[in-house]
Amino acid sequence: MISKGATWNSNSCRIKFARRFVSALLHMRNRNTRPGSLTIEGVRTHTQRIKIAAYLSMAQAVGSRRAWSRAVLSKHGSRARRHSRMGRSSVGLKKTRVIRSYPPGELGQAKKLRQLVPGGKTMDMCSLLEETAHYIKCLATQVKVMQTLADNFSK
Amino acid sequence: MSSRRSRSRQQTGSSRNITDEQIADLVSKLQQLIPEIRNRPSDTQVSASKVLQETCNYIRSLHREVDDLSDRLSDLLATTDTDSAQAAIIRSLLSQ
């Protein structure tokens, strides 16, 4: 299912991401009003949590439509949503170890790309390129929203 | 739970028939998204490996920006009171 170029809903994606990210930030803030959280370690993990919240919010805004968002959700979602590690694996695709023969061509650069795009290791070349394009658009949106937020905070 | 879906089999089948043309098409679409290449004045075609390389660099720079922004946000969040935080959030949501 190849989306036809210019009809990508950047606005709805941006708004969905912004809402989720902001509510995650506020939630984090309410939990962190303890005095001990201003240590070096506390600040570092706070940054980590914000970073994870940002990627997670974007993946949630995209939903399961894309392979990369599914990969992000399955990596982090089980930690945020469920405290107990439940036995059932809802995403069956990840568990099957299928040895795919990667089609030849641009192998050197594609390997690095696979490491950067979530879920990229098991995609064939076409999917990898498509997912990369969508991933880049979403990342750029995410950065813009975070930038706007940071700018408004320091006013 | 045998999860060998027919879709994966279909994908393996079609991956053998991927033409160079399809890949070149996707690469050119990717090319348009990367500001490095898009803003280059030259009209000449950029090689696919160059596009992939620039893509990797671009993704890495975006990740770095996210890191920096998370750092800034964590500082700002810790030091602003609730009222200014809410005002800032409303301002940023409205200005988009």
Side-chain angles (χ1 to χ4, degrees):
Chain A
M1 212 176 87
I2 302 179
S3 58
K4 312 247 165 158
T7 57
W8 187 64
N9 308 354
S10 60
N11 259 338
S12 74
C13 175
R14 185 163 57 180
I15 292 172
K16 278 187 220 168
F17 165 68
R19 283 174 60 195
R20 284 177 200 266
F21 184 49
V22 158
S23 71
L25 285 182
L26 288 175
H27 184 68
M28 229 184 286
R29 193 200 149 82
N30 289 339
R31 270 175 32 183
N32 271 9
T33 44
R34 285 166 274 162
S37 62
L38 285 183
T39 61
I40 300 284
E41 267 312 306
V43 170
R44 202 178 299 158
T45 47
H46 199 209
T47 304
Q48 278 297 103
R49 270 192 253 140
I50 291 186
K51 193 167 70 167
I52 292 177
Y55 286 121
L56 201 53
S57 305
M58 184 46 97
Q60 283 169 346
V62 170
S64 324
R65 285 180 281 137
R66 285 280 162 180
W68 69 263
S69 62
R70 288 196 293 270
V72 173
L73 288 173
S74 65
K75 189 165 87 156
H76 291 298
S78 56
R79 215 173 56 159
R81 298 282 170 143
R82 305 175 190 149
H83 290 290
S84 59
R85 185 104 45 103
M86 304 179 76
R88 57 170 212 183
S89 53
S90 49
V91 186
L93 277 174
K94 264 191 69 179
K95 298 288 183 173
T96 56
R97 293 201 183 202
V98 177
I99 312 282
R100 292 182 194 231
S101 55
Y102 299 117
E106 298 116 30
L107 273 182
Q109 305 296 335
K111 208 166 74 159
K112 284 190 219 160
L113 194 56
R114 286 177 194 278
Q115 288 167 347
L116 288 171
V117 176
K121 293 181 194 146
T122 52
M123 293 178 199
D124 59 283
M125 195 61 187
C126 262
S127 314
L128 181 65
L129 293 176
E130 271 190 55
E131 294 289 321
T132 306
H134 194 262
Y135 184 55
I136 288 183
K137 284 186 210 164
C138 290
L139 265 188
T141 307
Q142 182 178 325
V143 163
K144 265 185 238 164
V145 169
M146 289 173 83
Q147 182 78 52
T148 311
L149 211 49
D151 287 343
N152 278 316
F153 258 96
S154 39
K155 272 196 194 147
Chain B
M1 218 193 300
S2 61
S3 35
R4 192 79 70 90
R5 297 162 112 199
S6 58
R7 204 182 75 166
S8 63
R9 220 176 274 146
Q10 203 178 17
Q11 264 196 350
T12 326
S14 69
S15 75
R16 302 220 184 90
N17 298 342
I18 289 179
T19 58
D20 283 341
E21 204 178 294
Q22 266 179 295
I23 294 201
D25 190 41
L26 287 171
V27 166
S28 71
K29 275 194 208 147
L30 201 52
Q31 196 175 321
Q32 293 309 310
L33 292 174
I34 305 172
E36 288 277 314
I37 302 182
R38 198 173 51 201
N39 300 338
R40 210 173 280 189
S42 72
D43 228 357
T44 58
Q45 232 184 5
V46 190
S47 73
S49 70
K50 182 78 172 153
V51 172
L52 288 181
Q53 191 187 338
E54 292 296 335
T55 307
C56 290
N57 294 340
Y58 186 49
I59 293 182
R60 274 190 221 120
S61 76
L62 285 175
H63 283 172
R64 268 198 307 267
E65 279 195 54
V66 171
D67 285 346
D68 289 341
L69 285 169
S70 317
D71 214 10
R72 268 178 75 185
L73 281 175
S74 104
D75 281 342
L76 290 169
L77 211 58
T79 55
T80 51
D81 57 284
T82 315
D83 285 340
S84 339
Q86 285 179 345
I89 287 171
I90 294 175
R91 262 204 304 267
S92 47
L93 287 178
L94 285 178
S95 67
Q96 285 183 352

